[in-house]
Amino acid sequence: MRPRIVFLVMSAVSKPATIEQLARALAPHLVLVHHDFSQTPNFPLTAPNVRFVPNPKQTGWAVFGFVEGIFHSLQYAMANIDFDYLQLLSPTCLPIKPLEQFEAHVSGGADAHFDCIDLLGDRDALMSVGYRALTPERSFRHRVVRFLSLSYFGATSGRRDEAGIWLRSGAGRGVMPWIAFATVKALSRPWIGRHIFDESFRPYYGTTWFGARRNVIGGMVDMFSRPAVHDYFSRLRISDEFLIPTLLMHLGPRKGPMNHFIQKYDDAHPGEFHEEHFEQLRRSDAFFARKFADNPAAPARVKVLRELAATDAFTPSDLPLASPPPARAPQEDIRKETSGARGTPWVSPSRPAT
């Protein structure tokens, strides 16, 4: 039976036509759009499978508002939409396989699809980004440990690309790397670092873009609402890359590989896929890729949608020049959506997340 899938898209500054194209490529499944109207007030979307998240949060790159927007949207989905599986997407994501394959995939044995690295068990991760997880961003400790972490690798460090992110790899020479590692290792102990992590709540690091069944989404929303969790992560730099994998690992769902193929990062930002990457995308086992140009007419987007996703999603000339109808206004209390993919109800074989 067909699973009822909700795609949650976090939107702020992308072109409406870009998200309209993505939504039409995901039809008939529901596309829930959290759009920050404070950044782009005029944002018409008219695809019939689009709904706006009411009362959206103010978001931005590397700010906690982005995290709050995600969890505000998850909470809204839990309260107002009957779904079996939810997949988080960015506006610059595209499907790279037919949706029928993704539907079969999420109907399998895994409760959640994501990837991550054990921060305390991986020396490269601890020294690359541990300072961000273990110290508040605006603290003096944060600045000191960041400096030590940079000193640990030196100018000749290698690189690891995995879990949808990248890490520096390999220590530099001399006494400074040893001092840096000893300091960060000491901070990893909660009685020294004054953080919330221990063996029962280990920190993990990985990409934000995950997918999970309803019971897992509910568990994440519940944990995020706990003051100790919310308050601690609100003080971290780019906390979503720690918060989401940490919550997922703590809930202990049956785990599958992440559904995304993410282009290699250029420092803090992923690169773009272009036509020269087409065969790489075709060979990928993933179902979505990030990121593509914010332009519906970009050759790579059109080629991927037609030849990999096998969809007849619209071209830019098809975009209706109209605002969203009043029934889908962003601030309106939308009634509970029960049709999901507008197909036969699907019985999830998943177990409760504990």
Side-chain angles (χ1 to χ4, degrees):
M1 291 181 288
R2 193 177 210 177
R4 298 166 298 178
I5 302 173
V6 171
F7 293 98
L8 170 59
V9 177
M10 300 300 296
S11 166
V13 296
S14 292
K15 296 180 177 68
T18 299
I19 296 181
E20 184 90 10
Q21 184 184 57
L22 173 61
R24 291 177 183 262
L26 299 173
H29 295 286
L30 184 65
V31 177
L32 189 61
V33 178
H34 179 284
H35 180 71
D36 183 353
F37 286 88
S38 70
Q39 297 192 60
T40 311
N42 183 24
F43 201 79
L45 294 177
T46 60
N49 60 324
V50 166
R51 302 288 185 273
F52 284 99
V53 176
N55 305 309
K57 305 293 184 180
Q58 288 192 352
T59 61
W61 185 81
V63 299
F64 195 64
F66 179 71
V67 175
E68 291 188 310
I70 291 174
F71 280 87
H72 172 65
S73 302
L74 297 181
Q75 184 178 37
Y76 175 79
M78 290 295 299
N80 295 277
I81 303 170
D82 287 334
F83 66 93
D84 303 302
Y85 190 93
L86 184 145
Q87 175 66 50
L88 182 64
L89 299 174
S90 77
T92 56
C93 294
L94 283 179
I96 57 174
K97 284 185 174 55
L99 276 181
E100 293 80 3
Q101 293 185 28
F102 184 62
E103 291 168 355
H105 173 67
V106 304
S107 300
D111 297 320
H113 298 90
F114 64 102
D115 204 355
C116 60
I117 298 170
D118 183 345
L119 189 71
L120 302 183
D122 187 294
R123 188 161 177 162
D124 287 341
L126 182 64
M127 297 310 298
S128 291
V129 297
Y131 71 94
R132 284 171 39 200
L134 302 175
T135 61
E137 180 178 10
R138 301 184 185 279
S139 66
F140 177 72
R141 286 183 296 142
H142 181 88
R143 294 194 297 271
V144 171
V145 181
R146 181 177 183 273
F147 171 78
L148 290 173
S149 296
L150 293 172
S151 301
Y152 172 83
F153 292 103
T156 59
S157 62
R159 173 174 174 147
R160 288 166 52 194
D161 288 85
E162 58 184 276
I165 44 82
W166 71 277
L167 301 170
R168 292 182 174 87
S169 181
R173 297 181 178 180
V175 69
M176 195 61 185
W178 183 88
I179 294 172
F181 178 70
T183 302
V184 177
K185 189 70 174 176
L187 282 173
S188 70
R189 298 179 174 89
W191 60 90
I192 297 176
R194 304 195 300 277
H195 49 73
I196 64 174
F197 303 119
D198 55 26
E199 284 304 315
S200 66
F201 190 64
R202 290 181 70 85
Y204 290 84
Y205 178 64
T207 182
T208 302
W209 313 108
F210 77 101
R213 287 183 173 157
R214 183 183 183 92
N215 63 306
V216 179
I217 299 295
M220 295 175 70
V221 169
D222 177 70
M223 289 194 67
F224 182 72
S225 68
R226 299 176 186 178
V229 173
H230 180 279
D231 294 349
Y232 182 79
F233 282 94
S234 70
R235 294 179 287 138
L236 302 186
R237 176 168 174 76
I238 319 180
S239 61
D240 50 289
E241 295 176 340
F242 303 104
L243 174 64
I244 287 175
T246 297
L247 294 186
L248 284 166
M249 289 297 290
H250 184 73
L251 289 168
R254 291 173 293 185
K255 179 179 177 298
M258 66 179 179
N259 295 323
H260 267 75
F261 177 28
I262 298 178
Q263 178 62 302
K264 186 175 181 179
Y265 271 68
D266 179 9
D267 196 13
H269 302 280
E272 286 187 358
F273 287 109
H274 298 288
E275 285 186 283
E276 61 266 29
H277 304 116
F278 186 79
E279 287 304 317
Q280 190 179 16
L281 291 166
R282 185 197 296 275
R283 293 192 300 269
S284 172
D285 292 330
F287 296 87
F288 302 93
R290 180 176 187 262
K291 66 181 185 175
F292 292 89
D294 183 16
N295 175 10
R301 294 182 66 97
V302 174
K303 188 177 179 69
V304 161
L305 288 172
R306 288 177 177 171
E307 299 186 28
L308 297 185
T311 176
D312 57 355
F314 81 109
T315 57
S317 61
D318 298 321
L319 180 63
L321 299 177
S323 298
R328 300 189 193 102
Q331 303 301 324
E332 185 171 341
D333 184 15
I334 303 169
R335 290 178 297 175
K336 190 167 187 176
E337 169 67 54
T338 59
S339 58
R342 299 182 179 88
T344 307
W346 176 71
V347 179
S348 169
S350 64
R351 59 177 172 80
T354 57

